[in-house]
mmCIF file of all heavy atoms in Angstrom:
data_model
loop_
_atom_site.group_PDB
_atom_site.id
_atom_site.type_symbol
_atom_site.label_atom_id
_atom_site.label_comp_id
_atom_site.label_asym_id
_atom_site.label_seq_id
_atom_site.Cartn_x
_atom_site.Cartn_y
_atom_site.Cartn_z
ATOM 1 N N ARG A 13 -191.669 -132.722 -141.027
ATOM 2 C CA ARG A 13 -190.798 -133.354 -140.020
ATOM 3 C C ARG A 13 -191.162 -134.818 -139.818
ATOM 4 O O ARG A 13 -190.284 -135.665 -139.612
ATOM 5 C CB ARG A 13 -190.893 -132.576 -138.709
ATOM 6 C CG ARG A 13 -190.104 -131.266 -138.716
ATOM 7 C CD ARG A 13 -190.008 -130.667 -137.329
ATOM 8 N NE ARG A 13 -191.268 -130.099 -136.886
ATOM 9 C CZ ARG A 13 -191.603 -128.820 -137.018
ATOM 10 N NH1 ARG A 13 -190.768 -127.975 -137.598
ATOM 11 N NH2 ARG A 13 -192.771 -128.382 -136.587
ATOM 12 N N GLN A 14 -192.459 -135.148 -139.876
ATOM 13 C CA GLN A 14 -192.874 -136.545 -139.749
ATOM 14 C C GLN A 14 -192.325 -137.393 -140.887
ATOM 15 O O GLN A 14 -191.957 -138.564 -140.691
ATOM 16 C CB GLN A 14 -194.401 -136.637 -139.704
ATOM 17 C CG GLN A 14 -195.011 -136.112 -138.416
ATOM 18 C CD GLN A 14 -196.534 -136.092 -138.463
ATOM 19 O OE1 GLN A 14 -197.138 -136.391 -139.497
ATOM 20 N NE2 GLN A 14 -197.162 -135.728 -137.349
ATOM 21 N N LEU A 15 -192.270 -136.808 -142.086
ATOM 22 C CA LEU A 15 -191.706 -137.528 -143.234
ATOM 23 C C LEU A 15 -190.198 -137.723 -143.079
ATOM 24 O O LEU A 15 -189.629 -138.657 -143.648
ATOM 25 C CB LEU A 15 -191.991 -136.757 -144.526
ATOM 26 C CG LEU A 15 -193.441 -136.713 -145.019
ATOM 27 C CD1 LEU A 15 -193.573 -135.764 -146.196
ATOM 28 C CD2 LEU A 15 -193.920 -138.108 -145.412
ATOM 29 N N GLY A 16 -189.554 -136.826 -142.332
ATOM 30 C CA GLY A 16 -188.100 -136.880 -142.174
ATOM 31 C C GLY A 16 -187.385 -135.726 -142.837
ATOM 32 O O GLY A 16 -186.198 -135.836 -143.187
ATOM 33 N N ILE A 17 -188.088 -134.604 -143.019
ATOM 34 C CA ILE A 17 -187.501 -133.410 -143.636
ATOM 35 C C ILE A 17 -187.300 -132.354 -142.555
ATOM 36 O O ILE A 17 -188.241 -132.004 -141.834
ATOM 37 C CB ILE A 17 -188.409 -132.841 -144.749
ATOM 38 C CG1 ILE A 17 -188.661 -133.904 -145.832
ATOM 39 C CG2 ILE A 17 -187.786 -131.593 -145.369
ATOM 40 C CD1 ILE A 17 -189.701 -133.498 -146.863
ATOM 41 N N GLY A 18 -186.098 -131.865 -142.430
ATOM 42 C CA GLY A 18 -185.798 -130.794 -141.486
ATOM 43 C C GLY A 18 -185.262 -129.590 -142.235
ATOM 44 O O GLY A 18 -184.657 -129.732 -143.298
ATOM 45 N N MET A 19 -185.487 -128.388 -141.691
ATOM 46 C CA MET A 19 -185.039 -127.175 -142.369
ATOM 47 C C MET A 19 -184.530 -126.158 -141.362
ATOM 48 O O MET A 19 -185.144 -125.938 -140.315
ATOM 49 C CB MET A 19 -186.170 -126.565 -143.208
ATOM 50 C CG MET A 19 -185.757 -125.299 -143.956
ATOM 51 S SD MET A 19 -186.998 -124.763 -145.164
ATOM 52 C CE MET A 19 -186.201 -123.276 -145.803
ATOM 53 N N VAL A 20 -183.405 -125.548 -141.696
ATOM 54 C CA VAL A 20 -182.875 -124.410 -140.952
ATOM 55 C C VAL A 20 -183.081 -123.178 -141.817
ATOM 56 O O VAL A 20 -182.497 -123.056 -142.883
ATOM 57 C CB VAL A 20 -181.385 -124.594 -140.621
ATOM 58 C CG1 VAL A 20 -180.845 -123.356 -139.914
ATOM 59 C CG2 VAL A 20 -181.184 -125.823 -139.741
ATOM 60 N N PHE A 21 -183.935 -122.264 -141.346
ATOM 61 C CA PHE A 21 -184.302 -121.095 -142.135
ATOM 62 C C PHE A 21 -183.233 -120.017 -142.059
ATOM 63 O O PHE A 21 -182.522 -119.879 -141.061
ATOM 64 C CB PHE A 21 -185.622 -120.500 -141.625
ATOM 65 C CG PHE A 21 -186.825 -121.349 -141.924
ATOM 66 C CD1 PHE A 21 -187.216 -122.353 -141.043
ATOM 67 C CD2 PHE A 21 -187.557 -121.155 -143.075
ATOM 68 C CE1 PHE A 21 -188.323 -123.135 -141.307
ATOM 69 C CE2 PHE A 21 -188.663 -121.937 -143.357
ATOM 70 C CZ PHE A 21 -189.053 -122.935 -142.470
ATOM 71 N N GLN A 22 -183.182 -119.207 -143.118
ATOM 72 C CA GLN A 22 -182.304 -118.047 -143.114
ATOM 73 C C GLN A 22 -182.803 -117.013 -142.110
ATOM 74 O O GLN A 22 -182.030 -116.418 -141.365
ATOM 75 C CB GLN A 22 -182.254 -117.437 -144.523
ATOM 76 C CG GLN A 22 -181.257 -116.300 -144.660
ATOM 77 C CD GLN A 22 -181.244 -115.730 -146.065
ATOM 78 O OE1 GLN A 22 -182.156 -115.973 -146.845
ATOM 79 N NE2 GLN A 22 -180.228 -114.967 -146.382
ATOM 80 N N HIS A 23 -184.130 -116.796 -142.070
ATOM 81 C CA HIS A 23 -184.724 -115.959 -141.031
ATOM 82 C C HIS A 23 -185.174 -116.877 -139.904
ATOM 83 O O HIS A 23 -185.940 -117.811 -140.124
ATOM 84 C CB HIS A 23 -185.919 -115.166 -141.578
ATOM 85 C CG HIS A 23 -185.513 -114.073 -142.498
ATOM 86 N ND1 HIS A 23 -186.225 -113.742 -143.637
ATOM 87 C CD2 HIS A 23 -184.466 -113.225 -142.471
ATOM 88 C CE1 HIS A 23 -185.642 -112.735 -144.261
ATOM 89 N NE2 HIS A 23 -184.563 -112.416 -143.576
ATOM 90 N N PHE A 24 -184.693 -116.629 -138.731
ATOM 91 C CA PHE A 24 -184.858 -117.560 -137.626
ATOM 92 C C PHE A 24 -186.313 -117.663 -137.174
ATOM 93 O O PHE A 24 -187.105 -116.726 -137.321
ATOM 94 C CB PHE A 24 -183.972 -117.144 -136.458
ATOM 95 C CG PHE A 24 -182.523 -116.981 -136.850
ATOM 96 C CD1 PHE A 24 -181.751 -115.975 -136.299
ATOM 97 C CD2 PHE A 24 -181.945 -117.817 -137.780
ATOM 98 C CE1 PHE A 24 -180.428 -115.809 -136.668
ATOM 99 C CE2 PHE A 24 -180.631 -117.664 -138.160
ATOM 100 C CZ PHE A 24 -179.867 -116.655 -137.597
ATOM 101 N N THR A 25 -186.657 -118.813 -136.585
ATOM 102 C CA THR A 25 -188.025 -119.094 -136.142
ATOM 103 C C THR A 25 -188.056 -119.373 -134.652
ATOM 104 O O THR A 25 -188.844 -120.186 -134.176
ATOM 105 C CB THR A 25 -188.598 -120.290 -136.924
ATOM 106 O OG1 THR A 25 -187.754 -121.438 -136.724
ATOM 107 C CG2 THR A 25 -188.694 -119.990 -138.405
ATOM 108 N N LEU A 26 -187.209 -118.703 -133.905
ATOM 109 C CA LEU A 26 -187.119 -118.911 -132.455
ATOM 110 C C LEU A 26 -187.979 -117.888 -131.716
ATOM 111 O O LEU A 26 -188.153 -116.762 -132.174
ATOM 112 C CB LEU A 26 -185.664 -118.768 -131.994
ATOM 113 C CG LEU A 26 -184.649 -119.715 -132.641
ATOM 114 C CD1 LEU A 26 -183.233 -119.300 -132.256
ATOM 115 C CD2 LEU A 26 -184.911 -121.155 -132.224
ATOM 116 N N PHE A 27 -188.499 -118.297 -130.560
ATOM 117 C CA PHE A 27 -189.202 -117.379 -129.680
ATOM 118 C C PHE A 27 -188.174 -116.729 -128.752
ATOM 119 O O PHE A 27 -187.464 -117.421 -128.008
ATOM 120 C CB PHE A 27 -190.269 -118.119 -128.868
ATOM 121 C CG PHE A 27 -191.441 -118.566 -129.690
ATOM 122 C CD1 PHE A 27 -191.482 -119.847 -130.229
ATOM 123 C CD2 PHE A 27 -192.502 -117.705 -129.943
ATOM 124 C CE1 PHE A 27 -192.561 -120.255 -130.994
ATOM 125 C CE2 PHE A 27 -193.581 -118.106 -130.715
ATOM 126 C CZ PHE A 27 -193.614 -119.390 -131.244
ATOM 127 N N GLU A 28 -188.116 -115.403 -128.778
ATOM 128 C CA GLU A 28 -187.037 -114.692 -128.097
ATOM 129 C C GLU A 28 -187.161 -114.680 -126.581
ATOM 130 O O GLU A 28 -186.161 -114.562 -125.876
ATOM 131 C CB GLU A 28 -186.953 -113.248 -128.613
ATOM 132 C CG GLU A 28 -186.553 -113.139 -130.068
ATOM 133 C CD GLU A 28 -186.030 -111.768 -130.423
ATOM 134 O OE1 GLU A 28 -186.056 -110.877 -129.554
ATOM 135 O OE2 GLU A 28 -185.575 -111.591 -131.558
ATOM 136 N N THR A 29 -188.382 -114.769 -126.056
ATOM 137 C CA THR A 29 -188.574 -114.582 -124.612
ATOM 138 C C THR A 29 -188.392 -115.858 -123.807
ATOM 139 O O THR A 29 -188.509 -115.832 -122.580
ATOM 140 C CB THR A 29 -189.971 -114.013 -124.340
ATOM 141 O OG1 THR A 29 -190.957 -114.880 -124.919
ATOM 142 C CG2 THR A 29 -190.112 -112.622 -124.928
ATOM 143 N N ILE A 30 -188.109 -116.986 -124.453
ATOM 144 C CA ILE A 30 -187.869 -118.231 -123.729
ATOM 145 C C ILE A 30 -186.454 -118.729 -124.018
ATOM 146 O O ILE A 30 -185.753 -118.197 -124.876
ATOM 147 C CB ILE A 30 -188.920 -119.308 -124.073
ATOM 148 C CG1 ILE A 30 -188.903 -119.632 -125.586
ATOM 149 C CG2 ILE A 30 -190.310 -118.837 -123.649
ATOM 150 C CD1 ILE A 30 -189.891 -120.722 -125.984
ATOM 151 N N THR A 31 -186.047 -119.759 -123.310
ATOM 152 C CA THR A 31 -184.666 -120.233 -123.405
ATOM 153 C C THR A 31 -184.456 -121.123 -124.629
ATOM 154 O O THR A 31 -185.403 -121.534 -125.305
ATOM 155 C CB THR A 31 -184.288 -121.044 -122.159
ATOM 156 O OG1 THR A 31 -185.060 -122.264 -122.133
ATOM 157 C CG2 THR A 31 -184.533 -120.245 -120.877
ATOM 158 N N VAL A 32 -183.187 -121.428 -124.873
ATOM 159 C CA VAL A 32 -182.819 -122.335 -125.962
ATOM 160 C C VAL A 32 -183.508 -123.687 -125.782
ATOM 161 O O VAL A 32 -184.137 -124.219 -126.707
ATOM 162 C CB VAL A 32 -181.294 -122.508 -126.011
ATOM 163 C CG1 VAL A 32 -180.912 -123.641 -126.963
ATOM 164 C CG2 VAL A 32 -180.604 -121.213 -126.416
ATOM 165 N N ALA A 33 -183.407 -124.263 -124.582
ATOM 166 C CA ALA A 33 -183.999 -125.581 -124.327
ATOM 167 C C ALA A 33 -185.511 -125.553 -124.483
ATOM 168 O O ALA A 33 -186.121 -126.515 -124.992
ATOM 169 C CB ALA A 33 -183.624 -126.060 -122.927
ATOM 170 N N GLU A 34 -186.151 -124.464 -124.065
ATOM 171 C CA GLU A 34 -187.598 -124.347 -124.206
ATOM 172 C C GLU A 34 -187.990 -124.257 -125.673
ATOM 173 O O GLU A 34 -189.020 -124.808 -126.086
ATOM 174 C CB GLU A 34 -188.097 -123.137 -123.426
ATOM 175 C CG GLU A 34 -188.061 -123.348 -121.911
ATOM 176 C CD GLU A 34 -188.254 -122.059 -121.132
ATOM 177 O OE1 GLU A 34 -188.022 -120.969 -121.700
ATOM 178 O OE2 GLU A 34 -188.633 -122.145 -119.951
ATOM 179 N N ASN A 35 -187.197 -123.586 -126.493
ATOM 180 C CA ASN A 35 -187.450 -123.537 -127.931
ATOM 181 C C ASN A 35 -187.340 -124.916 -128.551
ATOM 182 O O ASN A 35 -188.162 -125.303 -129.387
ATOM 183 C CB ASN A 35 -186.473 -122.575 -128.607
ATOM 184 C CG ASN A 35 -187.007 -121.161 -128.735
ATOM 185 O OD1 ASN A 35 -187.820 -120.880 -129.610
ATOM 186 N ND2 ASN A 35 -186.572 -120.292 -127.847
ATOM 187 N N VAL A 36 -186.325 -125.659 -128.165
ATOM 188 C CA VAL A 36 -186.147 -127.011 -128.704
ATOM 189 C C VAL A 36 -187.311 -127.907 -128.286
ATOM 190 O O VAL A 36 -187.804 -128.727 -129.068
ATOM 191 C CB VAL A 36 -184.804 -127.602 -128.239
ATOM 192 C CG1 VAL A 36 -184.688 -129.074 -128.641
ATOM 193 C CG2 VAL A 36 -183.639 -126.808 -128.822
ATOM 194 N N ALA A 37 -187.801 -127.729 -127.047
ATOM 195 C CA ALA A 37 -188.895 -128.558 -126.542
ATOM 196 C C ALA A 37 -190.195 -128.350 -127.301
ATOM 197 O O ALA A 37 -191.086 -129.209 -127.277
ATOM 198 C CB ALA A 37 -189.118 -128.274 -125.049
ATOM 199 N N LEU A 38 -190.333 -127.216 -128.002
ATOM 200 C CA LEU A 38 -191.546 -126.961 -128.771
ATOM 201 C C LEU A 38 -191.681 -127.890 -129.974
ATOM 202 O O LEU A 38 -192.781 -128.096 -130.471
ATOM 203 C CB LEU A 38 -191.572 -125.505 -129.237
ATOM 204 C CG LEU A 38 -191.707 -124.437 -128.146
ATOM 205 C CD1 LEU A 38 -191.587 -123.051 -128.749
ATOM 206 C CD2 LEU A 38 -193.032 -124.589 -127.406
ATOM 207 N N SER A 39 -190.574 -128.448 -130.440
ATOM 208 C CA SER A 39 -190.624 -129.304 -131.632
ATOM 209 C C SER A 39 -190.096 -130.712 -131.376
ATOM 210 O O SER A 39 -189.969 -131.498 -132.312
ATOM 211 C CB SER A 39 -189.825 -128.661 -132.774
ATOM 212 O OG SER A 39 -188.497 -128.428 -132.374
ATOM 213 N N MET A 40 -189.784 -131.033 -130.091
ATOM 214 C CA MET A 40 -189.265 -132.358 -129.759
ATOM 215 C C MET A 40 -189.879 -132.856 -128.457
ATOM 216 O O MET A 40 -190.205 -132.048 -127.588
ATOM 217 C CB MET A 40 -187.732 -132.317 -129.589
ATOM 218 C CG MET A 40 -186.954 -132.160 -130.856
ATOM 219 S SD MET A 40 -185.180 -132.371 -130.549
ATOM 220 C CE MET A 40 -185.127 -134.093 -130.011
ATOM 221 N N PRO A 41 -190.033 -134.154 -128.298
ATOM 222 C CA PRO A 41 -190.526 -134.671 -127.020
ATOM 223 C C PRO A 41 -189.481 -134.483 -125.921
ATOM 224 O O PRO A 41 -188.275 -134.522 -126.172
ATOM 225 C CB PRO A 41 -190.763 -136.156 -127.312
ATOM 226 C CG PRO A 41 -189.899 -136.476 -128.491
ATOM 227 C CD PRO A 41 -189.828 -135.226 -129.299
ATOM 228 N N GLY A 42 -189.974 -134.261 -124.707
ATOM 229 C CA GLY A 42 -189.070 -134.076 -123.575
ATOM 230 C C GLY A 42 -189.223 -132.702 -122.968
ATOM 231 O O GLY A 42 -189.618 -131.746 -123.654
ATOM 232 N N THR A 43 -188.922 -132.594 -121.693
ATOM 233 C CA THR A 43 -188.978 -131.302 -121.018
ATOM 234 C C THR A 43 -187.689 -130.530 -121.304
ATOM 235 O O THR A 43 -186.672 -131.122 -121.688
ATOM 236 C CB THR A 43 -189.116 -131.486 -119.506
ATOM 237 O OG1 THR A 43 -187.908 -132.095 -118.998
ATOM 238 C CG2 THR A 43 -190.308 -132.376 -119.162
ATOM 239 N N PRO A 44 -187.717 -129.202 -121.105
ATOM 240 C CA PRO A 44 -186.483 -128.426 -121.294
ATOM 241 C C PRO A 44 -185.323 -128.942 -120.450
ATOM 242 O O PRO A 44 -184.170 -128.955 -120.911
ATOM 243 C CB PRO A 44 -186.905 -127.013 -120.880
ATOM 244 C CG PRO A 44 -188.368 -126.963 -121.178
ATOM 245 C CD PRO A 44 -188.879 -128.328 -120.854
ATOM 246 N N GLN A 45 -185.626 -129.396 -119.228
ATOM 247 C CA GLN A 45 -184.563 -129.918 -118.355
ATOM 248 C C GLN A 45 -183.963 -131.195 -118.943
ATOM 249 O O GLN A 45 -182.740 -131.400 -118.921
ATOM 250 C CB GLN A 45 -185.115 -130.201 -116.953
ATOM 251 C CG GLN A 45 -185.488 -128.953 -116.156
ATOM 252 C CD GLN A 45 -186.765 -128.289 -116.651
ATOM 253 O OE1 GLN A 45 -187.601 -128.935 -117.296
ATOM 254 N NE2 GLN A 45 -186.910 -126.994 -116.392
ATOM 255 N N GLU A 46 -184.842 -132.056 -119.487
ATOM 256 C CA GLU A 46 -184.353 -133.303 -120.084
ATOM 257 C C GLU A 46 -183.561 -133.033 -121.360
ATOM 258 O O GLU A 46 -182.563 -133.718 -121.643
ATOM 259 C CB GLU A 46 -185.535 -134.223 -120.390
ATOM 260 C CG GLU A 46 -186.255 -134.734 -119.163
ATOM 261 C CD GLU A 46 -187.585 -135.398 -119.499
ATOM 262 O OE1 GLU A 46 -188.091 -135.188 -120.625
ATOM 263 O OE2 GLU A 46 -188.108 -136.115 -118.643
ATOM 264 N N LEU A 47 -183.987 -132.051 -122.131
ATOM 265 C CA LEU A 47 -183.344 -131.763 -123.409
ATOM 266 C C LEU A 47 -182.035 -131.001 -123.254
ATOM 267 O O LEU A 47 -181.208 -131.012 -124.167
ATOM 268 C CB LEU A 47 -184.290 -130.963 -124.302
ATOM 269 C CG LEU A 47 -185.515 -131.735 -124.822
ATOM 270 C CD1 LEU A 47 -186.499 -130.793 -125.482
ATOM 271 C CD2 LEU A 47 -185.075 -132.819 -125.807
ATOM 272 N N ALA A 48 -181.844 -130.338 -122.112
ATOM 273 C CA ALA A 48 -180.624 -129.543 -121.921
ATOM 274 C C ALA A 48 -179.373 -130.398 -122.079
ATOM 275 O O ALA A 48 -178.385 -129.979 -122.704
ATOM 276 C CB ALA A 48 -180.648 -128.860 -120.557
#
């Protein structure tokens, strides 16, 4: 990702027990509220 390579996997890599915004916040700067 630092080089500029992004990937969407066929088998998903999301954590099921947290929200969409919280999942995005794990790989991007910003709080879930800011990223929403």
Side-chain angles (χ1 to χ4, degrees):
R13 283 191 287 266
Q14 289 174 355
L15 290 172
I17 302 172
M19 181 170 179
V20 177
F21 289 88
Q22 186 180 16
H23 288 142
F24 306 143
T25 58
L26 302 171
F27 289 94
E28 295 199 356
T29 56
I30 60 178
T31 67
V32 170
E34 288 167 339
N35 268 282
V36 173
L38 293 175
S39 57
M40 287 188 64
T43 66
Q45 291 73 22
E46 293 168 343
L47 291 170

